[in-house]
mmCIF file of all heavy atoms in Angstrom:
data_model
loop_
_atom_site.group_PDB
_atom_site.id
_atom_site.type_symbol
_atom_site.label_atom_id
_atom_site.label_comp_id
_atom_site.label_asym_id
_atom_site.label_seq_id
_atom_site.Cartn_x
_atom_site.Cartn_y
_atom_site.Cartn_z
ATOM 1 N N ILE A 1 0.864 -1.176 0.000
ATOM 2 C CA ILE A 1 0.000 0.000 0.000
ATOM 3 C C ILE A 1 0.908 1.235 0.000
ATOM 4 O O ILE A 1 1.649 1.474 0.952
ATOM 5 C CB ILE A 1 -0.941 0.008 1.213
ATOM 6 C CG1 ILE A 1 -1.839 -1.234 1.197
ATOM 7 C CG2 ILE A 1 -1.785 1.283 1.226
ATOM 8 C CD1 ILE A 1 -2.726 -1.364 2.419
ATOM 9 N N LEU A 2 0.850 1.987 -1.073
ATOM 10 C CA LEU A 2 1.698 3.176 -1.244
ATOM 11 C C LEU A 2 0.964 4.401 -0.726
ATOM 12 O O LEU A 2 -0.220 4.607 -1.018
ATOM 13 C CB LEU A 2 2.046 3.349 -2.721
ATOM 14 C CG LEU A 2 2.837 4.605 -3.116
ATOM 15 C CD1 LEU A 2 4.241 4.559 -2.537
ATOM 16 C CD2 LEU A 2 2.887 4.723 -4.652
ATOM 17 N N SER A 3 1.684 5.245 0.047
ATOM 18 C CA SER A 3 1.067 6.471 0.565
ATOM 19 C C SER A 3 2.106 7.583 0.647
ATOM 20 O O SER A 3 3.313 7.346 0.649
ATOM 21 C CB SER A 3 0.448 6.215 1.941
ATOM 22 O OG SER A 3 1.441 5.876 2.885
ATOM 23 N N LEU A 4 1.606 8.801 0.736
ATOM 24 C CA LEU A 4 2.439 9.991 0.895
ATOM 25 C C LEU A 4 1.768 10.898 1.908
ATOM 26 O O LEU A 4 0.614 11.295 1.719
ATOM 27 C CB LEU A 4 2.623 10.707 -0.439
ATOM 28 C CG LEU A 4 3.404 12.028 -0.405
ATOM 29 C CD1 LEU A 4 4.845 11.784 0.023
ATOM 30 C CD2 LEU A 4 3.366 12.715 -1.778
ATOM 31 N N ASN A 5 2.488 11.177 2.997
ATOM 32 C CA ASN A 5 1.948 12.014 4.077
ATOM 33 C C ASN A 5 0.606 11.495 4.589
ATOM 34 O O ASN A 5 -0.323 12.270 4.858
ATOM 35 C CB ASN A 5 1.805 13.469 3.598
ATOM 36 C CG ASN A 5 3.133 14.090 3.208
ATOM 37 O OD1 ASN A 5 4.173 13.792 3.801
ATOM 38 N ND2 ASN A 5 3.116 14.938 2.198
ATOM 39 N N GLY A 6 0.507 10.187 4.670
ATOM 40 C CA GLY A 6 -0.702 9.565 5.201
ATOM 41 C C GLY A 6 -1.828 9.394 4.205
ATOM 42 O O GLY A 6 -2.863 8.814 4.531
ATOM 43 N N LYS A 7 -1.659 9.894 2.970
ATOM 44 C CA LYS A 7 -2.693 9.787 1.944
ATOM 45 C C LYS A 7 -2.409 8.588 1.046
ATOM 46 O O LYS A 7 -1.382 8.539 0.367
ATOM 47 C CB LYS A 7 -2.741 11.059 1.103
ATOM 48 C CG LYS A 7 -3.809 11.023 0.018
ATOM 49 C CD LYS A 7 -3.783 12.294 -0.815
ATOM 50 C CE LYS A 7 -4.831 12.249 -1.931
ATOM 51 N NZ LYS A 7 -4.804 13.492 -2.756
ATOM 52 N N PRO A 8 -3.314 7.598 0.991
ATOM 53 C CA PRO A 8 -3.098 6.423 0.138
ATOM 54 C C PRO A 8 -3.038 6.810 -1.340
ATOM 55 O O PRO A 8 -3.842 7.606 -1.822
ATOM 56 C CB PRO A 8 -4.312 5.538 0.435
ATOM 57 C CG PRO A 8 -4.837 6.016 1.750
ATOM 58 C CD PRO A 8 -4.550 7.485 1.783
ATOM 59 N N LEU A 9 -2.078 6.230 -2.062
ATOM 60 C CA LEU A 9 -1.913 6.516 -3.481
ATOM 61 C C LEU A 9 -2.193 5.294 -4.358
ATOM 62 O O LEU A 9 -2.308 5.436 -5.579
ATOM 63 C CB LEU A 9 -0.491 7.021 -3.763
ATOM 64 C CG LEU A 9 -0.076 8.308 -3.048
ATOM 65 C CD1 LEU A 9 1.366 8.651 -3.396
ATOM 66 C CD2 LEU A 9 -1.012 9.456 -3.415
ATOM 67 N N GLY A 10 -2.274 4.129 -3.740
ATOM 68 C CA GLY A 10 -2.544 2.937 -4.549
ATOM 69 C C GLY A 10 -2.130 1.667 -3.844
ATOM 70 O O GLY A 10 -1.367 1.692 -2.874
ATOM 71 N N GLU A 11 -2.670 0.543 -4.325
ATOM 72 C CA GLU A 11 -2.332 -0.777 -3.813
ATOM 73 C C GLU A 11 -1.754 -1.609 -4.951
ATOM 74 O O GLU A 11 -2.229 -1.548 -6.077
ATOM 75 C CB GLU A 11 -3.552 -1.475 -3.213
ATOM 76 C CG GLU A 11 -4.111 -0.772 -1.985
ATOM 77 C CD GLU A 11 -5.209 -1.579 -1.306
ATOM 78 O OE1 GLU A 11 -5.468 -2.727 -1.761
ATOM 79 O OE2 GLU A 11 -5.786 -1.079 -0.329
ATOM 80 N N PHE A 12 -0.729 -2.412 -4.624
ATOM 81 C CA PHE A 12 -0.035 -3.188 -5.638
ATOM 82 C C PHE A 12 0.115 -4.628 -5.157
ATOM 83 O O PHE A 12 0.834 -4.890 -4.178
ATOM 84 C CB PHE A 12 1.348 -2.583 -5.908
ATOM 85 C CG PHE A 12 1.307 -1.148 -6.356
ATOM 86 C CD1 PHE A 12 1.284 -0.115 -5.417
ATOM 87 C CD2 PHE A 12 1.276 -0.825 -7.703
ATOM 88 C CE1 PHE A 12 1.237 1.216 -5.812
ATOM 89 C CE2 PHE A 12 1.230 0.498 -8.110
ATOM 90 C CZ PHE A 12 1.204 1.522 -7.168
ATOM 91 N N PRO A 13 -0.579 -5.583 -5.797
ATOM 92 C CA PRO A 13 -0.440 -6.983 -5.391
ATOM 93 C C PRO A 13 0.943 -7.521 -5.738
ATOM 94 O O PRO A 13 1.506 -7.196 -6.791
ATOM 95 C CB PRO A 13 -1.532 -7.688 -6.197
ATOM 96 C CG PRO A 13 -1.747 -6.813 -7.390
ATOM 97 C CD PRO A 13 -1.516 -5.408 -6.923
ATOM 98 N N LEU A 14 1.497 -8.325 -4.846
ATOM 99 C CA LEU A 14 2.802 -8.950 -5.098
ATOM 100 C C LEU A 14 2.555 -10.280 -5.796
ATOM 101 O O LEU A 14 2.704 -11.357 -5.214
ATOM 102 C CB LEU A 14 3.562 -9.108 -3.781
ATOM 103 C CG LEU A 14 3.820 -7.807 -3.020
ATOM 104 C CD1 LEU A 14 4.602 -8.060 -1.739
ATOM 105 C CD2 LEU A 14 4.553 -6.790 -3.899
ATOM 106 N N ASP A 15 2.189 -10.197 -7.067
ATOM 107 C CA ASP A 15 1.751 -11.364 -7.820
ATOM 108 C C ASP A 15 2.801 -11.856 -8.811
ATOM 109 O O ASP A 15 2.507 -12.664 -9.695
ATOM 110 C CB ASP A 15 0.451 -11.055 -8.560
ATOM 111 C CG ASP A 15 0.544 -9.804 -9.431
ATOM 112 O OD1 ASP A 15 1.635 -9.181 -9.474
ATOM 113 O OD2 ASP A 15 -0.462 -9.445 -10.060
ATOM 114 N N LYS A 16 4.043 -11.368 -8.676
ATOM 115 C CA LYS A 16 5.134 -11.817 -9.533
ATOM 116 C C LYS A 16 6.335 -12.155 -8.659
ATOM 117 O O LYS A 16 6.417 -11.761 -7.500
ATOM 118 C CB LYS A 16 5.528 -10.734 -10.538
ATOM 119 C CG LYS A 16 4.415 -10.308 -11.478
ATOM 120 C CD LYS A 16 4.967 -9.496 -12.649
ATOM 121 C CE LYS A 16 5.685 -8.240 -12.189
ATOM 122 N NZ LYS A 16 6.147 -7.412 -13.340
ATOM 123 N N GLU A 17 7.290 -12.899 -9.227
ATOM 124 C CA GLU A 17 8.484 -13.261 -8.466
ATOM 125 C C GLU A 17 9.333 -12.039 -8.138
ATOM 126 O O GLU A 17 10.048 -12.032 -7.140
ATOM 127 C CB GLU A 17 9.321 -14.284 -9.233
ATOM 128 C CG GLU A 17 8.670 -15.663 -9.332
ATOM 129 C CD GLU A 17 9.593 -16.685 -9.951
ATOM 130 O OE1 GLU A 17 10.793 -16.376 -10.121
ATOM 131 O OE2 GLU A 17 9.132 -17.791 -10.271
ATOM 132 N N ARG A 18 9.253 -11.008 -8.970
ATOM 133 C CA ARG A 18 10.064 -9.799 -8.754
ATOM 134 C C ARG A 18 9.216 -8.573 -9.087
ATOM 135 O O ARG A 18 8.710 -8.446 -10.202
ATOM 136 C CB ARG A 18 11.324 -9.838 -9.618
ATOM 137 C CG ARG A 18 12.267 -8.646 -9.426
ATOM 138 C CD ARG A 18 13.483 -8.812 -10.322
ATOM 139 N NE ARG A 18 14.366 -7.664 -10.269
ATOM 140 C CZ ARG A 18 15.350 -7.489 -9.395
ATOM 141 N NH1 ARG A 18 15.562 -8.420 -8.481
ATOM 142 N NH2 ARG A 18 16.117 -6.409 -9.414
ATOM 143 N N ILE A 19 9.059 -7.693 -8.104
ATOM 144 C CA ILE A 19 8.346 -6.429 -8.266
ATOM 145 C C ILE A 19 9.365 -5.308 -8.117
ATOM 146 O O ILE A 19 10.069 -5.233 -7.102
ATOM 147 C CB ILE A 19 7.229 -6.269 -7.213
ATOM 148 C CG1 ILE A 19 6.199 -7.396 -7.318
ATOM 149 C CG2 ILE A 19 6.568 -4.901 -7.329
ATOM 150 C CD1 ILE A 19 5.335 -7.342 -8.554
ATOM 151 N N THR A 20 9.473 -4.443 -9.114
ATOM 152 C CA THR A 20 10.468 -3.375 -9.067
ATOM 153 C C THR A 20 9.831 -2.044 -8.678
ATOM 154 O O THR A 20 8.661 -1.789 -8.952
ATOM 155 C CB THR A 20 11.181 -3.228 -10.419
ATOM 156 O OG1 THR A 20 10.214 -2.971 -11.448
ATOM 157 C CG2 THR A 20 11.942 -4.506 -10.765
ATOM 158 N N ILE A 21 10.653 -1.211 -8.052
ATOM 159 C CA ILE A 21 10.206 0.089 -7.545
ATOM 160 C C ILE A 21 11.193 1.154 -8.011
ATOM 161 O O ILE A 21 12.412 0.967 -7.892
ATOM 162 C CB ILE A 21 10.146 0.093 -6.008
ATOM 163 C CG1 ILE A 21 9.298 -1.079 -5.492
ATOM 164 C CG2 ILE A 21 9.606 1.416 -5.476
ATOM 165 C CD1 ILE A 21 9.435 -1.309 -3.997
ATOM 166 N N GLY A 22 10.688 2.262 -8.540
ATOM 167 C CA GLY A 22 11.599 3.325 -8.943
ATOM 168 C C GLY A 22 10.890 4.459 -9.653
ATOM 169 O O GLY A 22 9.669 4.451 -9.839
ATOM 170 N N ARG A 23 11.697 5.451 -10.042
ATOM 171 C CA ARG A 23 11.144 6.641 -10.681
ATOM 172 C C ARG A 23 10.839 6.428 -12.162
ATOM 173 O O ARG A 23 10.038 7.156 -12.742
ATOM 174 C CB ARG A 23 12.122 7.823 -10.512
ATOM 175 C CG ARG A 23 11.469 9.190 -10.752
ATOM 176 C CD ARG A 23 12.392 10.346 -10.402
ATOM 177 N NE ARG A 23 13.512 10.464 -11.315
ATOM 178 C CZ ARG A 23 14.774 10.245 -10.989
ATOM 179 N NH1 ARG A 23 15.088 9.878 -9.742
ATOM 180 N NH2 ARG A 23 15.744 10.378 -11.881
ATOM 181 N N ARG A 24 11.476 5.432 -12.761
ATOM 182 C CA ARG A 24 11.202 5.161 -14.179
ATOM 183 C C ARG A 24 9.769 4.632 -14.321
ATOM 184 O O ARG A 24 9.320 3.796 -13.539
ATOM 185 C CB ARG A 24 12.188 4.137 -14.732
ATOM 186 C CG ARG A 24 13.643 4.541 -14.635
ATOM 187 C CD ARG A 24 14.522 3.486 -15.290
ATOM 188 N NE ARG A 24 15.917 3.661 -14.937
ATOM 189 C CZ ARG A 24 16.753 4.508 -15.516
ATOM 190 N NH1 ARG A 24 16.304 5.273 -16.511
ATOM 191 N NH2 ARG A 24 18.011 4.604 -15.121
ATOM 192 N N PRO A 25 9.044 5.089 -15.330
ATOM 193 C CA PRO A 25 7.639 4.682 -15.482
ATOM 194 C C PRO A 25 7.462 3.204 -15.823
ATOM 195 O O PRO A 25 6.349 2.698 -15.763
ATOM 196 C CB PRO A 25 7.126 5.580 -16.614
ATOM 197 C CG PRO A 25 8.349 6.032 -17.334
ATOM 198 C CD PRO A 25 9.443 6.110 -16.321
ATOM 199 N N THR A 26 8.551 2.533 -16.177
ATOM 200 C CA THR A 26 8.448 1.115 -16.523
ATOM 201 C C THR A 26 8.384 0.207 -15.301
ATOM 202 O O THR A 26 8.135 -0.996 -15.441
ATOM 203 C CB THR A 26 9.650 0.695 -17.385
ATOM 204 O OG1 THR A 26 10.858 1.055 -16.708
ATOM 205 C CG2 THR A 26 9.612 1.388 -18.745
ATOM 206 N N HIS A 27 8.595 0.753 -14.094
ATOM 207 C CA HIS A 27 8.612 -0.086 -12.897
ATOM 208 C C HIS A 27 7.196 -0.476 -12.473
ATOM 209 O O HIS A 27 6.219 0.225 -12.759
ATOM 210 C CB HIS A 27 9.325 0.629 -11.744
ATOM 211 C CG HIS A 27 10.814 0.675 -11.917
ATOM 212 N ND1 HIS A 27 11.578 -0.464 -11.943
ATOM 213 C CD2 HIS A 27 11.676 1.709 -12.066
ATOM 214 C CE1 HIS A 27 12.852 -0.138 -12.111
ATOM 215 N NE2 HIS A 27 12.932 1.184 -12.194
ATOM 216 N N ASP A 28 7.108 -1.617 -11.781
ATOM 217 C CA ASP A 28 5.807 -2.092 -11.308
ATOM 218 C C ASP A 28 5.185 -1.098 -10.333
ATOM 219 O O ASP A 28 3.970 -0.861 -10.361
ATOM 220 C CB ASP A 28 5.962 -3.459 -10.624
ATOM 221 C CG ASP A 28 6.524 -4.506 -11.561
ATOM 222 O OD1 ASP A 28 5.862 -4.812 -12.562
ATOM 223 O OD2 ASP A 28 7.641 -5.007 -11.296
ATOM 224 N N ILE A 29 6.006 -0.549 -9.438
ATOM 225 C CA ILE A 29 5.560 0.500 -8.526
ATOM 226 C C ILE A 29 6.318 1.770 -8.911
ATOM 227 O O ILE A 29 7.501 1.929 -8.599
ATOM 228 C CB ILE A 29 5.800 0.128 -7.051
ATOM 229 C CG1 ILE A 29 5.063 -1.175 -6.724
ATOM 230 C CG2 ILE A 29 5.335 1.247 -6.126
ATOM 231 C CD1 ILE A 29 5.273 -1.658 -5.294
ATOM 232 N N HIS A 30 5.619 2.649 -9.639
ATOM 233 C CA HIS A 30 6.243 3.864 -10.169
ATOM 234 C C HIS A 30 6.014 5.004 -9.184
ATOM 235 O O HIS A 30 4.870 5.329 -8.850
ATOM 236 C CB HIS A 30 5.626 4.194 -11.529
ATOM 237 C CG HIS A 30 6.061 5.518 -12.071
ATOM 238 N ND1 HIS A 30 5.181 6.399 -12.683
ATOM 239 C CD2 HIS A 30 7.272 6.122 -12.079
ATOM 240 C CE1 HIS A 30 5.839 7.470 -13.059
ATOM 241 N NE2 HIS A 30 7.104 7.337 -12.700
ATOM 242 N N ILE A 31 7.126 5.616 -8.712
ATOM 243 C CA ILE A 31 7.040 6.750 -7.789
ATOM 244 C C ILE A 31 7.746 7.928 -8.451
ATOM 245 O O ILE A 31 8.975 7.964 -8.534
ATOM 246 C CB ILE A 31 7.675 6.433 -6.425
ATOM 247 C CG1 ILE A 31 7.053 5.167 -5.825
ATOM 248 C CG2 ILE A 31 7.503 7.613 -5.474
ATOM 249 C CD1 ILE A 31 7.686 4.742 -4.510
ATOM 250 N N ASP A 32 6.996 8.882 -8.918
ATOM 251 C CA ASP A 32 7.535 10.021 -9.661
ATOM 252 C C ASP A 32 7.934 11.120 -8.689
ATOM 253 O O ASP A 32 7.193 12.075 -8.451
ATOM 254 C CB ASP A 32 6.494 10.528 -10.661
ATOM 255 C CG ASP A 32 7.067 11.589 -11.596
ATOM 256 O OD1 ASP A 32 8.302 11.765 -11.594
ATOM 257 O OD2 ASP A 32 6.286 12.231 -12.316
ATOM 258 N N ASN A 33 9.140 10.949 -8.127
ATOM 259 C CA ASN A 33 9.647 11.922 -7.158
ATOM 260 C C ASN A 33 11.164 11.919 -7.243
ATOM 261 O O ASN A 33 11.784 10.854 -7.349
ATOM 262 C CB ASN A 33 9.187 11.552 -5.749
ATOM 263 C CG ASN A 33 9.553 12.620 -4.731
ATOM 264 O OD1 ASN A 33 10.692 12.701 -4.292
ATOM 265 N ND2 ASN A 33 8.581 13.442 -4.352
ATOM 266 N N LEU A 34 11.784 13.113 -7.188
ATOM 267 C CA LEU A 34 13.228 13.209 -7.354
ATOM 268 C C LEU A 34 14.005 12.539 -6.230
ATOM 269 O O LEU A 34 15.196 12.228 -6.381
ATOM 270 C CB LEU A 34 13.638 14.685 -7.470
ATOM 271 C CG LEU A 34 13.172 15.399 -8.748
ATOM 272 C CD1 LEU A 34 13.588 16.867 -8.706
ATOM 273 C CD2 LEU A 34 13.747 14.711 -9.984
ATOM 274 N N ALA A 35 13.377 12.301 -5.086
ATOM 275 C CA ALA A 35 14.057 11.611 -3.988
ATOM 276 C C ALA A 35 14.158 10.115 -4.243
ATOM 277 O O ALA A 35 14.864 9.404 -3.518
ATOM 278 C CB ALA A 35 13.324 11.861 -2.666
ATOM 279 N N VAL A 36 13.470 9.642 -5.266
ATOM 280 C CA VAL A 36 13.460 8.227 -5.614
ATOM 281 C C VAL A 36 14.364 8.004 -6.819
ATOM 282 O O VAL A 36 14.267 8.721 -7.818
ATOM 283 C CB VAL A 36 12.019 7.760 -5.935
ATOM 284 C CG1 VAL A 36 12.001 6.285 -6.306
ATOM 285 C CG2 VAL A 36 11.102 8.037 -4.757
ATOM 286 N N SER A 37 15.248 7.015 -6.735
ATOM 287 C CA SER A 37 16.148 6.720 -7.852
ATOM 288 C C SER A 37 15.381 6.085 -9.002
ATOM 289 O O SER A 37 14.300 5.521 -8.815
ATOM 290 C CB SER A 37 17.266 5.785 -7.390
ATOM 291 O OG SER A 37 18.093 6.408 -6.435
ATOM 292 N N GLY A 38 15.980 6.186 -10.192
ATOM 293 C CA GLY A 38 15.351 5.580 -11.357
ATOM 294 C C GLY A 38 15.075 4.104 -11.146
ATOM 295 O O GLY A 38 13.995 3.602 -11.459
ATOM 296 N N ASP A 39 16.064 3.388 -10.653
ATOM 297 C CA ASP A 39 15.920 1.986 -10.265
ATOM 298 C C ASP A 39 16.228 1.918 -8.772
ATOM 299 O O ASP A 39 17.398 1.863 -8.382
ATOM 300 C CB ASP A 39 16.873 1.094 -11.053
ATOM 301 C CG ASP A 39 16.683 1.233 -12.560
ATOM 302 O OD1 ASP A 39 15.536 1.142 -13.013
ATOM 303 O OD2 ASP A 39 17.689 1.437 -13.272
ATOM 304 N N HIS A 40 15.218 1.941 -7.941
ATOM 305 C CA HIS A 40 15.441 2.154 -6.510
ATOM 306 C C HIS A 40 15.510 0.853 -5.707
ATOM 307 O O HIS A 40 16.461 0.628 -4.955
ATOM 308 C CB HIS A 40 14.328 3.043 -5.936
ATOM 309 C CG HIS A 40 14.693 3.657 -4.615
ATOM 310 N ND1 HIS A 40 15.034 4.993 -4.486
ATOM 311 C CD2 HIS A 40 14.786 3.121 -3.376
ATOM 312 C CE1 HIS A 40 15.316 5.247 -3.224
ATOM 313 N NE2 HIS A 40 15.166 4.112 -2.526
ATOM 314 N N ALA A 41 14.496 0.002 -5.846
ATOM 315 C CA ALA A 41 14.436 -1.195 -5.017
ATOM 316 C C ALA A 41 13.623 -2.266 -5.715
ATOM 317 O O ALA A 41 12.983 -2.022 -6.746
ATOM 318 C CB ALA A 41 13.829 -0.871 -3.642
ATOM 319 N N ALA A 42 13.669 -3.474 -5.157
ATOM 320 C CA ALA A 42 12.889 -4.580 -5.708
ATOM 321 C C ALA A 42 12.397 -5.459 -4.567
ATOM 322 O O ALA A 42 13.050 -5.562 -3.525
ATOM 323 C CB ALA A 42 13.710 -5.398 -6.691
ATOM 324 N N ILE A 43 11.238 -6.067 -4.772
ATOM 325 C CA ILE A 43 10.700 -7.039 -3.827
ATOM 326 C C ILE A 43 10.708 -8.390 -4.532
ATOM 327 O O ILE A 43 10.099 -8.560 -5.591
ATOM 328 C CB ILE A 43 9.277 -6.671 -3.384
ATOM 329 C CG1 ILE A 43 9.297 -5.323 -2.648
ATOM 330 C CG2 ILE A 43 8.689 -7.756 -2.487
ATOM 331 C CD1 ILE A 43 7.919 -4.791 -2.297
ATOM 332 N N VAL A 44 11.424 -9.337 -3.936
ATOM 333 C CA VAL A 44 11.606 -10.657 -4.528
ATOM 334 C C VAL A 44 10.846 -11.685 -3.709
ATOM 335 O O VAL A 44 10.921 -11.686 -2.472
ATOM 336 C CB VAL A 44 13.101 -11.023 -4.598
ATOM 337 C CG1 VAL A 44 13.285 -12.414 -5.209
ATOM 338 C CG2 VAL A 44 13.862 -9.982 -5.416
ATOM 339 N N SER A 45 10.110 -12.552 -4.389
ATOM 340 C CA SER A 45 9.330 -13.595 -3.723
ATOM 341 C C SER A 45 10.080 -14.911 -3.762
ATOM 342 O O SER A 45 10.501 -15.362 -4.831
ATOM 343 C CB SER A 45 7.966 -13.759 -4.414
ATOM 344 O OG SER A 45 7.303 -14.906 -3.926
ATOM 345 N N ILE A 46 10.277 -15.527 -2.594
ATOM 346 C CA ILE A 46 10.835 -16.871 -2.486
ATOM 347 C C ILE A 46 9.910 -17.655 -1.580
ATOM 348 O O ILE A 46 9.828 -17.377 -0.381
ATOM 349 C CB ILE A 46 12.274 -16.863 -1.943
ATOM 350 C CG1 ILE A 46 13.183 -16.051 -2.858
ATOM 351 C CG2 ILE A 46 12.792 -18.287 -1.800
ATOM 352 C CD1 ILE A 46 14.627 -15.985 -2.400
#
């Protein structure tokens, strides 16, 4: 569940082995903010 200053912005199911997070619009969880790197983080399912 993604939020900013307590305001929910969206929900993202972890339905793949790898979910990517970053500022690039191609990421599964896209966060358009300069504090976020283009390729910031990933959630891996094992």
Side-chain angles (χ1 to χ4, degrees):
I1 300 175
L2 175 67
S3 64
L4 176 64
N5 298 326
K7 181 182 179 180
L9 299 178
E11 295 187 4
F12 302 87
L14 301 181
D15 54 1
K16 300 194 301 184
E17 291 187 10
R18 182 179 175 88
I19 300 290
T20 58
I21 307 168
R23 198 172 69 247
R24 301 183 194 278
T26 54
H27 286 297
D28 300 297
I29 302 178
H30 172 222
I31 305 177
D32 188 11
N33 187 281
L34 292 177
V36 180
S37 295
D39 303 310
H40 198 105
I43 297 174
V44 179
S45 170
I46 300 180

